[in-house]
Amino acid sequence: MGRFSDRVAIVTGAGAPAGIGFAVARGLAAEGARVVLGATSDRVHDRAAEVTAATGSDAVGVAADLTTEAGAQALVDAAVQRWGRVDVLVNNAGMTSVTAGWDAEEQVTDLTLAGWEAALARNLTTAFLMCRAVVPVMRAAGYGRIVSVGSTTGTTNAMPGQATYTAAKAGLNGLSRALALEVVAEGVTVNVVAPGYVATGSQLAFEQAAAAAGPAGRSGTPDEIAACVLFLAHESASFVSGAVLVADGGHGLPETWPVA
């Protein structure tokens, strides 16, 4: 019997095989949860099959655009129709700019309104829509755990050329804290895990160098971040709500590593 036996979970942004979302989905399933994996492409069906094969737990993939109300509702409906409820929501969908890096084109003075709105949509609106869709289900059950994967960017620091991503992740913290106050008396907790540099296979060269220069001397792993998510997603974390758990290997601590 695992920690999440008989629980039903939704994990968004779970389509990348080396990503945090897939690690979370696999971790929940290994502990007994039945899991809906969400992503924007059909590769999520492969991830769901891999979760089932590796853990024996029932998992289903749903390809949906979570920047739309219909897409968010589709994930919740998939869980409710298949298993009758949703106990855990992990908001992991999101990404940095498609031209991520120290790119002058992404500086605030050069951003287009369309670019700004698109970044907020994929990094913040996705979480808002998923929360809005799942909270009524959790309220009716008198139980729920919502954990969003944020970032140290927007929480403890910022990156040049990533104002939209930074603003969205800071907004995710605010959304989570406000929602936490609205639902905690009904048995639903809302928290954020804010990772630092994590080796997901899409890590940029400057991120790898910065992580190597930090106090831990390395990037984190998706499984290490998943462990933090699973802690907050468990029923035992019932008195933790509105919190932001930073997982960055001490990278953000002042005066712990040299800054070039």
Side-chain angles (χ1 to χ4, degrees):
M1 296 290 288
R3 287 185 295 165
F4 292 92
S5 293
D6 298 323
R7 295 297 188 192
V8 175
I10 296 173
V11 182
T12 71
I20 293 171
F22 182 59
V24 170
R26 186 179 57 224
L28 287 166
E31 295 269 10
R34 291 160 288 179
V35 186
V36 172
L37 290 77
T40 57
S41 73
D42 287 339
R43 66 179 178 173
V44 73
H45 301 300
D46 295 331
R47 301 291 85 76
E50 290 166 9
V51 165
T52 298
T55 67
S57 288
D58 196 8
V60 61
V62 177
D65 179 1
L66 299 186
T67 66
T68 69
E69 293 174 311
Q73 192 62 51
L75 264 67
V76 175
D77 288 347
V80 172
Q81 290 170 9
R82 193 178 184 96
W83 298 301
R85 65 182 202 269
V86 183
D87 302 297
V88 177
L89 167 64
V90 179
N91 289 312
N92 179 68
M95 61 181 289
T96 56
S97 167
V98 293
T99 56
W102 312 95
D103 191 338
E105 292 181 359
E106 294 295 321
Q107 291 185 8
V108 171
T109 52
D110 296 309
L111 281 169
T112 65
L113 179 58
W116 169 265
E117 291 176 340
L120 292 183
R122 64 178 175 263
N123 290 293
L124 181 55
T125 303
T126 51
F128 158 67
L129 291 175
M130 286 303 306
C131 288
R132 194 180 66 175
V134 82
V135 162
V137 179
M138 292 180 171
R139 274 180 164 154
Y143 179 87
R145 297 287 182 267
I146 298 174
V147 185
S148 294
V149 178
S151 175
T152 52
T153 301
T155 299
T156 62
N157 58 44
M159 289 196 301
Q162 290 294 340
T164 50
Y165 181 76
T166 303
K169 291 302 186 181
L172 184 62
N173 294 344
L175 169 66
S176 299
R177 285 168 171 151
L179 180 58
L181 295 175
E182 296 175 6
V183 297
V184 68
E186 298 168 273
V188 181
T189 65
V190 187
N191 294 288
V192 178
V193 173
Y197 297 117
V198 179
T200 61
S202 60
Q203 202 175 20
L204 299 173
F206 80 86
E207 293 177 312
Q208 295 171 343
R218 64 175 178 86
S219 299
T221 69
D223 285 338
E224 287 175 317
I225 305 306
C228 296
V229 173
L230 265 61
F231 160 66
L232 293 171
H234 190 251
E235 61 189 46
S236 62
S238 56
F239 206 56
V240 182
S241 199
V244 179
L245 173 57
V246 173
D248 68 349
H251 200 94
L253 296 174
E255 299 180 2
T256 58
W257 60 287
V259 179

